[in-house]
Structures are given as structure tokens and as C-alpha cells.
Amino acid sequence: MPKHSSAKTLVVSFVGMKSQEVGVKSNLRVVLSNDNQMIDEVVVVAYGTAKKGAFTGSAGVVKTEQIERRQVSDVTNALAGAVAGVQIQSSNGQPGQSAKVNIRGVGSINAKSDPLYVVDGIPYDGDISSINSQDIESMTVLKDAASTALYGARGANGVIMITTKKGKSGKATINFDGKIGVNSRMVKNYDVLTDVVEYMDNAYTSLYNAGVYNLGYDAAKANRYANTYLPVKSKGGLGYQIFTIPDGESLYGMDGKMNPNATLGYSDGDYYYTPDNWADEMFSNKTRQEYNLNISGSTEKANYYVSFGYLDDQGIIDGSGFTRYSTRAKGDYQVKEWLKVGANMSYVYSNSRSPGDQTATASSGNAFLMANMIAPIYPLYVRDTNGQIMTNQGRKVYDYGDGESTNRSRSFMSISNPAGDLIYNKDEYLHDILNATWYADFTPIEGLTITARYGMNLDSERYNLLGNAYSGQSASYGGTAYQGHSRTWGLDQQYLATYRKTFNDDHNFDAMIGYDGYKWNEEIIEATGQNLYNPEDFHVNNAINQLIGYGYGNSYATEGYIARVNYDYKNTYYVSASFRRDGSSRFHPDHRWGNFWSASAAWIMSKEQFMENISWIDMLKLKASFGQQGNDLIGNYYAYIDQFKMTGSNGLFADGTLDYKGNPDLTWETSTSFNAGFDFSMLNNRLNGSIEYFLRQSTDMLYYRPVGPSAGYQELPMNVGSMRNSGVEIDLAYSIIKNKNISWDVNLNASFINNKIIKLHKDLEGELIDNTRIYSEGESMYRMYLVKYAGVDSETGKALYWAKDKDGKAITTDDYSMAVNYKEATDNLLPTVYGGFGTSVSLYGFDASIQMSYQLGGQIYDSGYARFMHGGTSSYAGTNWHTDIRNAWSETNKGSNIPRLDAEDKYASSQSDRWITSSNYLSLNNITFGYTLPKNITNKFLVDRLRVYFAADNVALLSARKGLDPRQSYTSATTALYTPIRTISGGISLTF
């Protein structure tokens, strides 16, 4: 500073920082703090972007750093616990399968509740697993009508905006990331009996009690009865003899103990029978590897990003897995000052080896059902009399329990052995997916931008299934072949005109009008055949019997005319309004069009003079929105018309058979949403967050009403009434430490939600009962309709259920067939609160993060546990028992709440509220730990950045009962599904 200067103060400023005025002195040090009022994050919104301060709606953002930590084959799984108001449910852990995403509850009883995915401004109708998560810059979840109304019907259940990466200014950058790891089973089975003798003891007791308590036998006769039927497939017997006992002796003595002379293993002269551990044989740790390379850059006029990715996720069972090759090219160019063009194209080839039976909870081909449920007494393999596993043309021979693969017929799931099917059958989905977006921005005059944008998605899927000719059900047909091909094509056209103008420096205005037209088409052709010439070839022309082929198609279209106006005064007061007139091909022309709209406002209170002296508040914004949207996702593409199956012969058509009963009066389901809350930043920007109240009410809900069989059809699509979801969302992030070398951040989100049915169709008289579900006006839709369990008769050991006598008085009965006439609704099963929390730390090049999700206050029907607590009847014979069965009623344990084991008592584990349990859970979703080498080391190798890391996904789950996974649904859970996969990997990231 010159000596002659008379300056007494200095004003120090920097873009994005608060200016400071300080006195002049020697060795001056000035520290500037962030200025939220100057730096405003950009939020991706419908048909464009907005500054966060100007955004009047509700949204949650998941950034690339959070996405890249997760090892997911489908990016929807990365949302678990990451955004307030978003609940992730998954009933299929098969690699590449999408999770179920619910945003602020479910707005309909029957209509689909899936959100709309929008990729770089274009609605995306392809398979989400085809999007490489490493190509994603951010995911923005739009939750209220103010942010989603412009997408009309397709955005009624919320919108997830996916923004892919683009080049950053400066030199070209090359990024490589590679990781390899091991998959294992995350959710283990329930605590079941694993000891062969203990299981046999319970099976014997079940038959013995049947003789004593039901057949009137004395002890000796009951003992003979149990010993006789234990190895037989009837009366609750197991169907297999696996113990060798001396001639003339019984397996069980009069004391109920196994004969000490019995030895495990039995030969019938043709085969040798001994148990195998089905879970150990079918589930195994398999590899997951992923490699991604991208090159990007930006100049004054051009921006480019190209990438290539390879993923191979082998799942945890044979025959399962997901392989994906993905590539993307994205760029834009400023051709003239008034013209900018761009394109974004991706191609994906994927092979999803997805055995369909793994999601069928009653299928004999379901490996998880078999391995979890089967008693620990059955062989998996066919063995010769020497105990050696037999082979057929070099292939291991599996015991299907059908009396043909061996001389024994298994009681549990006979004619089934998923281990053999998964190895020898072939089941694959092959996808070729092309997604392309083109756009042009014209700026004919200052402030006016005209945009034309086109998005096309083409998905060609081939499904091949080979039923092997060597063993199992398909072998009885000489092998089976199936080929299917589907082609889906979607085209979205958008034409938008946006005008922005600022008046007198204080009044900011922008308006948009536009058109959005969408067409979608699906064509499917399938063929099947039996008796294969070449047992390794799935092509149908390789089959000579039962050759059947068929094909069909569907189409769907929407049109929307849209308008939006935004205004703000001094960047402090904001108002916004939007309108869309929407048309859907799912409805009759008389009911095809609907008008939907939203209005919203925001006030940045922290800019007011009365808050200038509140130094601990950096930013405080009050916001509110209200609006309506439509929902047309009833399922059937032509829901308003009757549909028939045509038959005939000799060139003549017979009368068509009604296949679907349409409803010409069907119309839009309307969702009315209200949102109000605060966004804030405090304590020098260390604490950031939002608190919001929301209310979402659906009217004219789309529903398939059950109809009596006399009508000639089973259900009718109709608009049945209204339902409300309401609640509070809290989203907080706190920076505990932040300096040059150390940063430590924590985050938490919580969503409190209530659900209530307001009104049902007048014909339903306030209540609709659909099997085990009950929908009543004034109550939550998440209730079940079940018989009430009344405990155990202490004298007989039989299960008791509540019923009523002829005078209407409540009584208990052991006759379930009587009690089933007196079912009652359960309490609301919906959780009180759900959300996620996590923390991330960086320290001198080291970084670590943990992310978790949780759910509290709800209940769920535990169907898996129910199946393990049977009494040993024929329908459950050979099914394993939960270890809780050790406390079943007996003459010496009359105070038990678990009914006695009894092969003749078919009501011991009947469907009732006995199986309702807590749905609380805590899930450890991700742990990441890494180290970034110092630049003075990496620069020597021409590397800008090198990071090595360890990552673990789906690490652990804590729930009310081991084996129970409440993340499957709001109402029920089972163990007979492809369980989630834990993945532990090591990786390296390089930037050049």
C-alpha cells in the first residue's frame, strides 16, 4: 500500500463470499464466509432448470458423489435412505432388477404408483437398469404438484430427473474407475432346525400326537402309527427313509427317542439316501466386477462427454446374473449466437440371466423357497448304493423327489429340484437398448428461447428359455424350448418457447408455453415347443411336439399443452403458476382430456430488514404450493372397451370369449397436492435443511373392483373414491468440521406419513373387502382382514381363534372354518416414520462414509415365519420348522402360546393376525473407505488424481426377526424370494 494513502478501511470481496469491511493495519488477515444469497445452486425442474432460491416446489437431490459410492446394477437402489419422502421397496434381489420407488406414499389402490423418470429433459420409458450409474451427474426427485404438474399424468406419482454428466471447462479429462468384489447373501434364512435328528424328533411327535389326540390310539398304537408313516408320503409322513435300523427294530421307541442303533444313511438296493445342505449347495459367493471409462471436455462453443462401461454381476445362485455393456456420447455446440444444438445418445447391450421362478413364492423351481423351507433330511443328489453321486453324460444327477429319479417321492415340493434346473436349464433376457435425444435452442431475440427436443427409446428384448432334457419336469417332455421377442418404441416430441425479462432491476419474469406429445408401441411374438432334437438348443425349430406360436401388440399415447409463468420481486418474493391440458389414449374419447395445474409461492425471509441482525440465520425461505394432476395408469392399455379372445377352425371364427371387461365411463384419477415448508441455512452455512408438510389427496381412484362369477368376468375397472396421504418431511445436513485438511459431515432425513381412505364408490357402501385386504372409509388402506388368534387351549394344545355365537357374543373356538366368518381388520400397518442417515469424513487424503436407512412404527404380515410354524400336516410335511417350535404345547408345557405338533390338526398355523409383527428395520446400505494419493506423487506419473477404495453395499439388516425383510412391501414379507445381495469390493479411480 502506498505510504501517502489516507485510506482507513478496506472492503474485501469475492464472488460467492460475503464482503467484509476491515480497518487497515499491518499483517492483515481476512476470512470471508459463504454468501448463500449470491451463490445459488441450480435445480433441475420440469422442462428446464431453476436456481434453488427461486424454486418454489419440493425436491431432493442425490449428487454424483453419493451415486458413485453405491455398487448397484440398477440406479433406483441408490435412492434408499437418500431423499426425504422416498421409500424404496424391493421383492427381488436379482441383479439388474429395479426397486419399487414410492414418493410420499402410494396415491392409488390399484393404479400404478411408479414415478416418471426423465433423462436430460426427456421422459424415459426404457429399462432403468440400462442407465449406467457412473454416467449420472445427479438425480433430482420432484415431489409436489408445483414441480411435477407440467408432466401431467405421467408425473402423478412424482418425477425423478436424471441428469447425465457433461464436459467441464478446461482441458480434456480422462476418468477410469474399476472395481471387483464378491457377492454374498445379505438376508439369511430364519432360525430353522438344522439338526437331522431334531427335525425327525418333531416329525415323529407330530404323527404320534395325531394318533393320540385325533385317532384315539393308546401310546403303543400311536408309536407304531408314527413309525409306520414317518418314511411314507401320506398322513404327514416325509416320504424318505434316511436312517438304517436293525431288522425288527423301530426308528423311535416308546420313550419318543430315536433308536440309538439307527445310523444316518439308507440304501434300498438301488440308491443311497442321505441328507444334503440345500442352501450351501445352491447359494455361493460369486464375483461382481465393473469398469468405466469416460472422456470429457469443454471449450467456449462445444461440450462433449463420451463413456464406455462394462458390468458383470453374477448374483448368488447358478443361472442368475446381469451383464451390461454401455456406451454414451453426449455433446452440444453453439453454432451461432442464436442457435445451439446438442445430442445425447446411448446404446446398451445387457444379458439378464433371470430365472423367473425366483419370484414365485409357490413355485417348485424357486431356489430360495426350496433352500429356505425344505427339511434338513432330504438328498439333493441321486447317489448309487456306494453313496457316490451319480452322473448322466458327465452331468450330476439331481433327486427331484418324484419317485422316478429315485425310488422315493418327497413330501415337500415333489417333482422339484431348483439346483438341477438352475444349472441345466437356460433362462436369459437379452436387451439391445438405444436411447437418443436431440435438441436445438433458438434465440431469435434477447430473452426469447425456442426449443425443439426429441427423445427416442428403442428396446429390443429377446427371451430364451431352455428346459433341459436330462432331469426334472422338462425332461418328461423331452426338453422344452421357448423363444420370445418384444420390441418397444417410444417417441417424445417437445416444442417450447420461453421468454425471460427483467424490469427495473427488481422485477424478474419468465413465461413458457409448449407442446409435449408422446407415442409408445409394443409388439410381442412368442413360440414354444417340446421334445428337443438337440438338448442344448433352445430354438423352437429344434422341437417336434406341441409347437405353438402367438403374438400381440399394444400402443399408448398422450398429448399435453403446457404453460408456466414465474415472477419474482428483488429475488425475495416468488410466485409461479403452471397449467397442462392432458389427453390419454387409455380412456374413452368422451373422457380422454383433463385439465391440471399448480400454483406456488416462496418468500426469502432472511433478506428482510427485520432479520438483518439475526446473525446465526444465513438463509430462511418460506414456500407453499397447491395443484392437481391426473393418473391414467390402470394397467390395461384399452381399459375403456371390452376385449375378446377369438377362436375358430376351418377358416371360420367362433364367438369371441370375453377376456377383459372395459368401462367406457372410466376417467382420470386426480391427485390434489398441497405442500408448505421452510428451507434454511444456519450457523455460517454449517447447518442446512428443510422442513415440509405435505398433503396429497387422490379422487376418482382407478381400481379393479372384484365382481361375482355370475357376471361372466372377475373384475371391472372403475373410479372408486378418494384417499389422502399426508405427513411431514425433515431433511438436515450438518458440517461438524470443515477446514483445509479435515471435513466431517452428517445428514439425516425423516418422513412421517399418514394414509386415509376418504370415500369409496357408493355401491361399496363404505367398505371393500378383497381377500385379505380391507378398504374402509376413514381408515388406512394398509390394513389386512384376518381371523383373530386367541392363543392355545391349555388343556388340548389346539390353536384358538375368535368367533361369535348365535347371539353375537365373542367366543373362542378351535374350529377355524367357523372363525373365518368373523374376520376383523388389523390396525394400520403403515410405518410411522422412515428415512435415512449417514456421515462422511475426509482427513489428509483419506475419506470414509456410511449410509443407512430405517423404518419405525409399522407392522407386517410375516408369511415366511407362518410357514415355519406348522403342525406337521400333509400339506406341510417335509417343510422345516422355526426353532420357536421347540416351545410348542405339550403335556409338560401347557402354558405355551404355540399349538401342539399334530399331523391331523390342519388349523395350527392358519392365516390369522398371529403372524403380524413389527416392520421396524435398520439397514446398513453402504460403507466406503478410500485414500487419494498426494498430487506431488501422482503428477510424476502424469496422473492428475489416483484414489484407491473399499466399498461394501447392502451390508446388514436388523429387523424384528432374523430372516424377515420388511423392505419387501408395506403389508407382507416372505423368505421365498431372491434375497438382497451384499457386495464387498475394492477399486481404483484414475483421472488424467
Side-chain angles (χ1 to χ4, degrees):
M1 181 183 296
K3 291 184 178 179
H4 63 269
S5 174
S6 60
K8 302 294 185 181
T9 61
L10 287 175
V11 176
V12 183
S13 64
F14 190 78
V15 175
M17 300 291 182
K18 291 181 178 179
S19 299
Q20 287 208 32
E21 191 173 294
V22 295
V24 176
K25 62 180 181 179
S26 300
N27 300 320
L28 186 63
R29 182 174 183 266
V30 180
V31 178
L32 302 182
S33 59
N34 290 334
D35 185 0
N36 268 327
Q37 298 177 12
M38 295 182 67
I39 291 293
D40 216 345
E41 230 178 290
V42 173
V43 178
V44 181
V45 298
Y47 301 100
T49 60
K51 289 185 176 181
K52 190 173 183 180
F55 181 56
T56 55
S58 177
V61 180
V62 182
K63 297 183 179 179
T64 184
E65 297 84 6
Q66 298 166 274
I67 298 169
E68 289 177 350
R69 289 176 190 148
R70 300 301 305 273
Q71 301 177 89
V72 292
S73 302
D74 187 290
V75 74
T76 55
N77 292 284
L79 290 170
V83 178
V86 176
Q87 180 80 318
I88 303 299
Q89 296 175 330
S90 178
S91 59
N92 187 359
Q94 158 71 28
Q97 287 293 318
S98 300
K100 173 71 174 176
V101 181
N102 293 321
I103 300 175
R104 291 184 167 177
V106 176
S108 183
I109 294 178
N110 251 182
K112 289 185 178 180
S113 58
D114 299 323
L116 171 69
Y117 294 90
V118 177
V119 179
D120 292 327
I122 290 290
Y124 183 78
D125 51 27
D127 193 331
I128 296 300
S129 66
S130 70
I131 301 177
N132 186 344
S133 62
Q134 300 298 305
D135 282 343
I136 296 176
E137 181 68 29
S138 67
M139 289 194 296
T140 303
V141 181
L142 306 180
K143 298 182 281 188
D144 71 327
S147 56
T148 64
L150 282 181
Y151 284 114
R154 300 177 70 190
N157 297 302
V159 178
I160 298 178
M161 310 287 291
I162 296 177
T163 302
T164 59
K165 293 177 180 177
K166 65 179 182 178
K168 296 185 170 120
S169 61
K171 67 175 185 177
T173 301
I174 302 173
N175 293 292
F176 172 80
D177 181 88
K179 61 176 77 73
I180 186 168
V182 178
N183 291 337
S184 60
R185 190 179 180 192
M186 177 198 179
V187 180
K188 303 295 185 182
N189 195 17
Y190 291 77
D191 286 322
V192 295
L193 302 184
T194 57
D195 183 79
V196 175
V197 173
E198 183 178 16
Y199 183 87
M200 295 293 293
D201 288 348
N202 281 277
Y204 167 82
T205 300
S206 174
L207 288 165
Y208 177 87
N209 285 345
V212 171
Y213 294 106
N214 290 286
L215 303 177
Y217 296 159
D218 59 24
K221 191 172 182 180
N223 172 260
R224 290 194 299 273
Y225 176 82
N227 275 295
T228 298
Y229 284 102
L230 192 60
V232 177
K233 188 184 174 182
S234 64
K235 305 288 187 180
L238 306 175
Y240 273 54
Q241 183 169 334
I242 58 169
F243 283 91
T244 300
I245 51 178
D247 291 342
E249 297 185 19
S250 298
L251 184 59
Y252 279 87
M254 289 297 298
D255 59 357
K257 304 291 185 182
M258 184 177 285
N259 188 334
N261 297 319
T263 57
L264 184 60
Y266 172 76
S267 174
D268 62 6
D270 295 316
Y271 303 101
Y272 181 81
Y273 303 88
T274 191
D276 289 299
N277 188 313
W278 287 56
D280 287 350
E281 293 291 326
M282 285 196 285
F283 304 140
S284 61
N285 296 346
K286 296 180 180 291
T287 60
R288 182 189 191 276
Q289 53 185 324
E290 184 175 6
Y291 308 97
N292 289 281
L293 175 70
N294 66 68
I295 302 172
S296 63
S298 178
T299 66
E300 185 178 343
K301 287 192 171 184
N303 186 296
Y304 60 90
Y305 174 90
V306 293
S307 70
F308 173 79
Y310 170 74
L311 167 67
D312 181 34
D313 190 336
Q314 297 185 12
I316 55 175
I317 59 174
D318 289 322
S320 166
F322 181 72
T323 301
R324 180 182 67 206
Y325 297 86
S326 61
T327 183
R328 180 177 296 274
K330 179 181 181 181
D332 57 58
Y333 186 72
Q334 191 76 45
V335 181
K336 302 286 185 180
E337 288 186 5
W338 51 269
L339 175 62
K340 184 178 183 180
V341 297
N344 184 359
M345 303 184 71
S346 70
Y347 168 74
V348 172
Y349 167 79
S350 67
N351 182 352
S352 179
R353 301 172 298 282
S354 178
D357 289 333
Q358 310 317 302
T359 58
T361 58
S363 172
S364 60
N366 187 328
F368 293 87
L369 171 65
M370 291 292 290
N372 292 340
M373 292 288 179
I374 197 167
I377 63 166
Y378 289 117
L380 183 71
Y381 303 103
V382 175
R383 291 177 169 84
D384 61 25
T385 54
N386 295 319
Q388 300 299 311
I389 297 175
M390 299 177 68
T391 59
N392 179 8
Q393 300 183 30
R395 298 168 176 256
K396 290 181 179 179
V397 179
Y398 290 87
D399 188 350
Y400 278 77
D402 53 6
E404 295 182 11
S405 52
T406 63
N407 293 326
R408 298 285 170 168
S409 183
R410 189 171 59 234
S411 294
F412 179 81
M413 287 285 182
S414 60
I415 324 178
S416 60
N417 194 314
D421 291 346
L422 291 173
I423 292 175
Y424 300 144
N425 292 350
K426 183 177 183 179
D427 201 330
E428 62 180 13
Y429 294 83
L430 306 174
H431 285 264
D432 292 282
I433 301 173
L434 177 64
N435 184 259
T437 303
W438 305 268
Y439 79 91
D441 285 343
F442 302 88
T443 310
I445 60 173
E446 183 180 357
L448 175 63
T449 301
I450 300 173
T451 300
R453 183 179 287 119
Y454 304 90
M456 185 270 291
N457 188 80
L458 177 64
D459 186 347
S460 178
E461 176 189 309
R462 289 163 291 148
Y463 174 44
N464 302 319
L465 173 61
L466 173 69
N468 81 88
Y470 303 100
S471 59
Q473 297 182 47
S474 57
S476 63
Y477 304 112
T480 60
Y482 172 93
Q483 286 182 271
H485 178 258
S486 70
R487 180 186 184 274
T488 59
W489 175 84
L491 177 66
D492 197 293
Q493 304 178 64
Q494 297 176 7
Y495 305 99
L496 309 171
T498 304
Y499 183 72
R500 294 181 175 86
K501 184 71 175 177
T502 298
F503 302 95
N504 300 324
D505 296 327
D506 291 333
H507 302 274
N508 301 300
F509 166 86
D510 73 75
M512 180 189 72
I513 59 172
Y515 168 84
D516 188 340
Y518 171 70
K519 294 181 179 180
W520 179 88
N521 177 265
E522 173 188 57
E523 295 177 359
I524 295 175
I525 187 168
E526 302 177 9
T528 64
Q530 299 175 1
N531 198 357
L532 307 182
Y533 175 76
N534 179 355
E536 306 297 329
D537 186 354
F538 60 76
H539 292 97
V540 174
N541 68 353
N542 181 48
I544 60 174
N545 296 129
Q546 295 296 313
L547 296 175
I548 301 172
Y550 52 95
Y552 59 94
N554 289 303
S555 60
Y556 171 59
T558 64
E559 279 192 345
Y561 299 89
I562 59 180
R564 177 175 61 199
V565 177
N566 296 322
Y567 168 79
D568 76 77
Y569 176 64
K570 289 188 174 182
N571 294 317
T572 303
Y573 310 97
Y574 299 86
V575 293
S576 179
S578 64
F579 173 81
R580 176 164 178 141
R581 179 163 174 79
D582 222 4
S584 170
S585 63
R586 291 181 191 261
F587 302 127
H588 188 277
D590 292 343
H591 305 288
R592 185 155 289 172
W593 290 91
N595 298 319
F596 308 106
W597 57 274
S598 74
S600 57
W603 172 30
I604 300 182
M605 302 169 64
S606 52
K607 290 189 176 182
E608 301 291 351
Q609 287 187 353
F610 64 82
M611 294 193 69
E612 284 184 349
N613 296 323
I614 306 178
S615 60
W616 55 276
I617 296 180
D618 302 299
M619 191 279 293
L620 179 63
K621 180 172 75 173
L622 171 65
K623 61 184 180 181
S625 67
F626 186 81
Q628 288 187 334
Q629 286 175 271
N631 186 1
D632 65 343
L633 300 179
I634 186 67
N636 193 285
Y637 294 102
Y638 317 98
Y640 65 93
I641 55 176
D642 294 343
Q643 296 159 42
F644 298 85
K645 281 185 176 179
M646 303 306 296
T647 59
S649 61
N650 299 322
L652 299 175
F653 285 105
D655 292 336
T657 303
L658 183 66
D659 187 52
Y660 179 92
K661 181 63 179 177
N663 182 357
D665 296 324
L666 199 68
T667 189
W668 291 93
E669 177 179 292
T670 302
S671 176
T672 303
S673 298
F674 171 74
N675 187 85
F678 292 92
D679 293 337
F680 57 84
S681 179
M682 301 177 178
L683 306 177
N684 198 23
N685 299 311
R686 294 177 68 179
L687 176 63
N688 296 275
S690 64
I691 300 175
E692 298 184 17
Y693 169 80
F694 66 89
L695 185 149
R696 177 187 177 196
Q697 183 160 318
S698 301
T699 56
D700 295 324
M701 289 186 296
L702 296 169
Y703 183 75
Y704 281 106
R705 178 188 174 187
V707 177
S710 60
Y713 48 92
Q714 296 181 336
E715 58 187 17
L716 178 69
M718 61 190 308
N719 300 96
V720 298
S722 59
M723 181 172 63
R724 177 186 301 156
N725 288 285
S726 61
V728 174
E729 295 172 359
I730 301 172
D731 201 342
L732 302 172
Y734 183 65
S735 181
I736 301 173
I737 302 174
K738 197 168 190 68
N739 57 46
K740 180 180 179 181
N741 296 312
I742 304 173
S743 68
W744 181 13
D745 301 315
V746 295
N747 61 81
L748 165 72
N749 68 74
S751 301
F752 301 83
I753 190 167
N754 292 299
N755 172 273
K756 182 183 288 187
I757 296 173
I758 306 302
K759 187 178 181 181
L760 293 173
H761 192 279
K762 61 181 182 180
D763 293 347
L764 300 174
E765 298 180 349
E767 189 169 270
L768 171 63
I769 296 173
D770 186 0
N771 197 10
T772 61
R773 298 293 296 276
I774 182 170
Y775 307 97
S776 303
E777 293 179 354
E779 301 289 345
S780 167
M781 69 170 281
Y782 297 103
R783 297 191 305 159
M784 296 189 73
Y785 193 56
L786 301 169
V787 171
K788 290 187 69 64
Y789 185 61
V792 173
D793 188 318
S794 60
E795 294 304 315
T796 67
K798 300 188 74 171
L800 295 176
Y801 301 95
W802 287 102
K804 292 181 180 179
D805 63 16
K806 60 182 180 180
D807 298 321
K809 181 180 178 181
I811 60 171
T812 61
T813 177
D814 59 18
D815 185 358
Y816 183 84
S817 62
M818 174 184 177
V820 79
N821 296 313
Y822 301 97
K823 292 181 179 180
E824 295 186 21
T826 66
D827 293 333
N828 178 19
L829 303 180
L830 198 67
T832 303
V833 60
Y834 59 85
F837 59 92
T839 184
S840 61
V841 178
S842 64
L843 174 68
Y844 295 98
F846 291 94
D847 64 89
S849 66
I850 296 176
Q851 198 273 328
M852 308 183 80
S853 56
Y854 66 90
Q855 176 175 289
L856 297 170
Q859 294 182 301
I860 198 165
Y861 186 88
D862 192 349
S863 65
Y865 181 68
R867 293 174 78 166
F868 284 126
M869 295 299 290
H870 60 95
T873 57
S874 294
S875 57
Y876 284 97
T879 305
N880 210 341
W881 273 292
H882 194 278
T883 53
D884 286 353
I885 207 69
R886 294 166 180 165
N887 193 41
W889 181 95
S890 68
E891 293 291 347
T892 58
N893 186 30
K894 292 189 173 183
S896 175
N897 196 44
I898 300 172
R900 72 173 187 241
L901 292 170
D902 189 334
E904 291 291 326
D905 185 359
K906 59 184 178 180
Y907 299 141
S909 59
S910 295
Q911 194 175 65
S912 72
D913 67 349
R914 175 187 174 188
W915 314 115
I916 298 290
T917 190
S918 169
S919 65
N920 295 350
Y921 73 80
L922 177 64
S923 173
L924 177 52
N925 298 327
N926 176 263
I927 300 175
T928 303
F929 178 79
Y931 176 67
T932 302
L933 273 68
K935 282 195 172 184
N936 59 0
I937 295 177
T938 60
N939 287 343
K940 296 177 182 179
F941 305 98
L942 303 179
V943 175
D944 292 337
R945 182 175 182 268
L946 190 157
R947 176 176 179 262
V948 291
Y949 61 91
F950 156 89
D953 245 58
N954 271 343
V955 183
L957 175 70
L958 178 64
S959 64
R961 180 178 289 123
K962 178 187 171 185
L964 171 64
D965 188 354
R967 299 171 301 176
Q968 293 179 8
S969 79
Y970 289 127
T971 54
S972 64
T974 177
T975 187
L977 293 170
Y978 201 127
T979 57
I981 297 173
R982 178 191 297 113
T983 304
I984 299 175
S985 297
I988 184 170
S989 294
L990 294 167
T991 300
F992 300 91

